[in-house]
Amino acid sequence: MRKMWWDSIRFASRFSRCKQAGISIMVAIAGTALALSSLLAFDVARAQMVFSKLQTATDAATLAATRDIDSPTLETDIRQVFDANFPPGYLGSKAAKIETVLRYSSGLVQQMHLAVTVELPSPIAGMVRKAGSDMHLLSVETRTERRTHGAELALVLDNTGSMLKNNKIGSLRSASKVLLDILFSGKESVPNLYVAVVPYTGRVNIGTQHKHWTRDPGLNLLNKHTWSDYAPEKWGGCVLARPSPLDVSDLPPSVRGFDPLFWPSSVIGGKVNQSNPAFQTVFYTKGNDKNVWPDAAGNTSDGPTPNKVYGPNADCATPITPLTSSYRALWTAVDRQKAKYYGGTLANVGLVWGWRTLSPLWRGLWFQNDGSPAPDNRPMDYLSPDNSKVIVLMTDGDNALVGDRMMAYGRPDWTGLKASMLDTYMLNACAAIKAAGIILFTITFGDDVNIATQKLYTQCASGESDSPLFPGQKYFHAP
């Protein structure tokens, strides 16, 4: 009996010692598991942070690359944008490998596909994988497609004498250059962006390279002359407006050509300010026309100052620059804008010629001022997908006549044209342009533009909701 009792004591003692050992083992195992769980949680959390950062950086690099996909430094640009969003060594990661899977650019469509891979050291990975495989391999791929919306833009610029006041012509040049700088963003050309420059006064200069658009100068009975009458000068490029309704039309010169504008001299036999019998019933019934050429010095063309205007091409502004994608050519054209002292203001004439630079009916007809052809695929059709047609008119405001000056409609004192008609002429031109699907912006300069004139140009401009691409107001005033 005593032996059984003693054996029971020893068994209980051994059981107690075994139980304590088992608990210790279980505690050890549980502690190790807890440590591994914490390490795994840290490892996973860090990998998720790196992956998220990697995704953001890859997206940014792909988007940036798509915007300038033809850049000669594209690979460097991609790396710079990526590194700016995913700093090298981020959370212990190794250098990222960037692969350009697809780089495509054709016309209006640009596509980019980037694949980026980084290695992230992981102690957990080293435990569960073979020796030397202690890295997480994180990969991201991003694809983008960008469709470029093209534009054909005509800058219609007031070059009349009133623009000399307070150097408004200088402000016009500066504003036009700022617009070009924004559009071209430091590049010589931007895909599918074409701009024309259309200066106007009381007439428009189409450029002497377009002489084949004109009719025989003897056909217009009110401005009948010959090409030799310009001697010793030559025709300078200005034309008369076509008869209504063609004066507010984009129909090409094949429908009806343009009459060259000729301003005869009032000098007869060396005496100035006398009626010229050859044109007395048409031009000089007052006997006091101020277009005296040759002048006392023998000059037959505009003088060195704005108020020295004379000759057969008097007050003929700088020629139109048709659509071009060259920033340099456009900057030069804008820089040449020069206010003319005499001759009135006909914004409708400038607007209609701006329209013609954008009209598909004139495709293949335009030549640059150096005689080279303008792009033969421009202007594009109206309402072409991914292309907008826009006119921006810049002026100091009022349309005006000068009774004894040759303008696009001839001399007002023999055509019967009245100043009260001019705003209606302009609004008719604005309406026709907008009906063709062209977005029309108007901008006035100067503190002398009254409320009535501002309302007129607001009415001329496109409406606030006329285009989803150009929301908001289309008339602006710069005091």
Side-chain angles (χ1 to χ4, degrees):
M1 186 70 176
R2 290 182 61 189
K3 184 176 183 300
M4 290 182 62
W5 176 79
W6 180 250
D7 287 342
S8 297
I9 294 291
R10 285 190 297 172
F11 174 78
S13 176
R14 287 197 301 268
F15 179 79
S16 176
R17 288 196 297 270
C18 290
K19 185 177 180 181
Q20 290 174 357
I23 291 173
S24 299
I25 292 171
M26 291 177 65
V27 169
I29 291 173
T32 301
L34 182 60
L36 288 174
S37 297
S38 299
L39 188 59
L40 178 61
F42 167 78
D43 198 42
V44 170
R46 186 176 62 143
Q48 289 177 339
M49 291 175 64
V50 171
F51 183 83
S52 177
K53 191 80 168 176
L54 180 65
Q55 183 72 69
T56 300
T58 306
D59 290 347
T62 308
L63 289 170
T66 310
R67 283 195 295 268
D68 197 11
I69 200 167
D70 295 317
S71 169
T73 60
L74 183 65
E75 301 299 330
T76 301
D77 298 341
I78 290 172
R79 172 60 72 173
Q80 288 178 345
V81 174
F82 179 85
D83 287 348
N85 290 274
F86 190 92
Y90 177 71
L91 293 183
S93 61
K94 303 298 183 181
K97 178 184 177 182
I98 302 176
E99 179 186 0
T100 302
V101 180
L102 173 67
R103 173 182 175 179
Y104 173 81
S105 178
S106 178
L108 298 174
V109 179
Q110 296 82 41
Q111 294 177 336
M112 176 63 68
H113 178 185
L114 291 184
V116 182
T117 303
V118 298
E119 292 183 334
L120 181 65
S122 169
I124 292 294
M127 293 179 185
V128 299
R129 299 175 186 165
K130 295 179 181 179
S133 301
D134 57 346
M135 294 286 182
H136 282 311
L137 194 63
L138 304 178
S139 298
V140 169
E141 294 189 23
T142 300
R143 297 173 176 84
T144 60
E145 178 176 298
R146 178 173 181 255
R147 298 186 67 87
T148 303
H149 193 90
E152 295 170 347
L153 165 67
L155 298 177
V156 178
L157 307 179
D158 186 345
N159 278 206
T160 57
S162 59
M163 294 293 288
L164 290 168
K165 183 180 178 182
N166 298 326
N167 194 33
K168 286 182 282 189
I169 189 67
S171 298
L172 177 145
R173 285 193 295 263
S174 296
S176 300
K177 290 175 181 177
V178 168
L179 177 58
L180 292 176
D181 288 342
I182 293 172
L183 292 173
F184 285 86
S185 301
K187 301 180 178 66
E188 170 58 18
S189 64
V190 173
N192 305 298
L193 173 62
Y194 291 82
V195 182
V197 179
V198 183
Y200 74 93
T201 54
R203 61 203 61 75
V204 166
N205 186 340
I206 64 174
T208 56
Q209 72 272 27
H210 299 122
K211 186 177 179 180
H212 58 287
W213 294 351
T214 63
R215 304 196 313 161
D216 183 328
L219 293 177
N220 188 322
L221 298 181
L222 293 178
N223 193 212
K224 187 175 182 179
H225 62 281
T226 66
W227 292 114
S228 61
D229 288 334
Y230 292 90
E233 302 295 321
K234 295 181 179 181
W235 173 63
C238 279
V239 292
L240 295 171
R242 294 185 295 193
S244 178
L246 293 178
D247 61 332
V248 189
S249 166
D250 67 335
L251 291 174
S254 59
V255 175
R256 187 195 187 278
F258 297 87
D259 293 318
L261 191 151
F262 172 70
W263 198 341
S265 174
S266 58
V267 176
I268 305 173
K271 299 179 181 180
V272 301
N273 296 330
Q274 293 188 16
S275 297
N276 185 330
F279 298 92
Q280 184 170 355
T281 59
V282 178
F283 296 96
Y284 301 115
T285 53
K286 293 182 179 181
N288 190 28
D289 189 272
K290 295 181 180 179
N291 185 17
V292 176
W293 59 278
D295 66 1
N299 297 312
T300 56
S301 60
D302 288 0
T305 57
N307 62 343
K308 294 292 185 182
V309 180
Y310 36 69
N313 301 299
D315 202 46
C316 193
T318 54
I320 291 173
T321 297
L323 287 177
T324 177
S325 60
S326 170
Y327 169 83
R328 187 183 303 274
L330 292 164
W331 194 97
T332 300
V334 167
D335 196 54
R336 293 175 59 197
Q337 301 303 294
K338 179 182 177 182
K340 292 287 188 175
Y341 198 80
Y342 294 116
T345 305
L346 295 178
N348 65 297
V349 175
L351 283 167
V352 170
W353 276 107
W355 178 14
R356 291 166 182 159
T357 67
L358 303 181
S359 169
L361 299 179
W362 291 68
R363 185 185 303 146
L365 301 183
W366 287 99
F367 288 82
Q368 302 294 350
N369 293 318
D370 62 2
S372 62
D376 60 5
N377 62 340
R378 299 284 170 165
M380 296 180 68
D381 291 341
Y382 290 124
L383 305 179
S384 293
D386 302 312
N387 186 71
S388 295
K389 295 179 184 286
V390 180
I391 289 177
V392 177
L393 170 69
M394 299 187 191
T395 178
D396 66 346
D398 295 338
N399 294 296
L401 295 179
V402 181
D404 58 357
R405 301 290 187 265
M406 281 295 296
M407 304 178 71
Y409 292 94
R411 271 181 56 150
D413 58 357
W414 54 261
T415 63
L417 184 65
K418 305 296 183 183
S420 58
M421 302 177 181
L422 300 186
D423 290 347
T424 299
Y425 277 31
M426 187 186 80
L427 291 177
N428 289 341
C430 299
I433 288 167
K434 290 183 287 189
I438 297 173
I439 303 301
L440 179 54
F441 289 83
T442 57
I443 302 172
T444 52
F445 291 87
D447 55 9
D448 52 353
V449 179
N450 59 39
I451 297 300
T453 300
Q454 292 186 37
K455 289 182 178 179
L456 174 69
Y457 283 93
T458 299
Q459 185 178 352
C460 174
S462 295
E464 293 190 5
S465 58
D466 283 358
S467 170
L469 288 172
F470 305 99
Q473 69 184 67
K474 308 296 187 301
Y475 167 72
F476 301 91
H477 177 64

